[in-house]
Amino acid sequence: MYITGKKLLFLELIAFAFTALAGSALHFTYELSGYNDLAALFSPVNESVWEHLKLGYFSILFFTLLQYYSLKDSIKNIFVGKLTAALTMNLIIVIAFYTYTHFTKHPILAVDISLYFLSAFIGHLFCYLILKSPKDLRILNLICFISMLAIALLFMCFTFSPPNYKIFQEAIINIIQNT
């Protein structure tokens, strides 16, 4: 029997709260760990946009795995929904961040934090809409599960070997180079 209706909405609100709180906590885990390489795999190691995308991504991934293993027979299309949430969240953050900093010429912490929470909410809203769908997307769900793991691996690899693109550079460096 699949979870539907208000219970599904409640679970997705819990997922949003987890993303908001865990992502906020992950911001500090690398420094608090004494700059441990294991913490660097899922926490930002600098102030680049790319590294901060890990906050939401890994919060969603961790909660997804918890939900899947505790409710796998009760929620269908979980990986389709959660990948949609993570990608939506990160896409909103990237587009909004580079748009507003184009005009302000510098990041504004309050805007960045608001963007994180707003994008998490929108991502989880999209996830809820997918999860409540009556369609059973088993093959796509498997593809999304594999994709989630592949993206996690990319985050980890690019932490230690970032390409030379603006999104991987610390925000303050981006501003200096653009002035």
Side-chain angles (χ1 to χ4, degrees):
M1 174 102 149
Y2 291 115
I3 296 172
T4 59
K6 290 181 182 178
K7 188 169 183 181
L8 183 61
L9 178 61
F10 180 72
L11 285 173
E12 205 50 37
L13 287 173
I14 291 172
F16 162 71
F18 183 88
T19 300
L21 295 173
S24 298
L26 282 176
H27 190 275
F28 305 101
T29 55
Y30 180 63
E31 186 177 348
L32 291 174
S33 74
Y35 304 99
N36 183 289
D37 285 346
L38 183 61
L41 293 174
F42 53 86
S43 303
V45 299
N46 61 43
E47 291 300 315
S48 71
V49 173
W50 176 262
E51 286 294 311
H52 281 75
L53 295 177
K54 293 189 322 190
L55 298 174
Y57 190 82
F58 282 105
S59 296
I60 290 172
L61 180 62
F62 294 151
F63 195 79
T64 300
L65 295 175
L66 287 172
Q67 263 190 324
Y68 177 76
Y69 286 109
S70 61
L71 302 169
K72 64 182 163 195
D73 295 328
S74 302
I75 298 179
K76 61 183 169 199
N77 307 326
I78 188 167
F79 297 113
V80 177
K82 299 302 182 171
L83 180 59
T84 300
L87 295 179
T88 298
M89 183 177 181
N90 284 348
L91 187 62
I92 290 170
I93 288 171
V94 169
I95 291 170
F97 177 81
Y98 285 116
T99 299
Y100 95 77
T101 57
H102 173 77
F103 295 104
T104 64
K105 304 297 184 215
H106 61 87
I108 301 168
L109 182 61
V111 174
D112 294 343
I113 292 169
S114 298
L115 270 175
Y116 178 79
F117 292 119
L118 178 64
S119 65
F121 181 79
I122 294 169
H124 284 289
L125 176 64
F126 286 171
C127 179
Y128 168 72
L129 295 173
I130 290 168
L131 294 179
K132 76 175 199 161
S133 169
K135 294 182 182 176
D136 193 354
L137 307 169
R138 289 176 198 225
I139 299 298
L140 184 58
N141 205 47
L142 177 61
I143 291 168
C144 288
F145 170 71
I146 293 167
S147 297
M148 287 187 87
L149 296 180
I151 292 168
L153 187 60
L154 279 176
F155 271 116
M156 293 172 183
C157 290
F158 288 160
T159 291
F160 296 107
S161 185
N164 191 23
Y165 293 105
K166 185 176 180 177
I167 195 168
F168 297 97
Q169 298 169 354
E170 293 203 53
I172 193 73
I173 293 169
N174 293 337
I175 295 162
I176 293 168
Q177 289 178 344
N178 287 333
T179 56

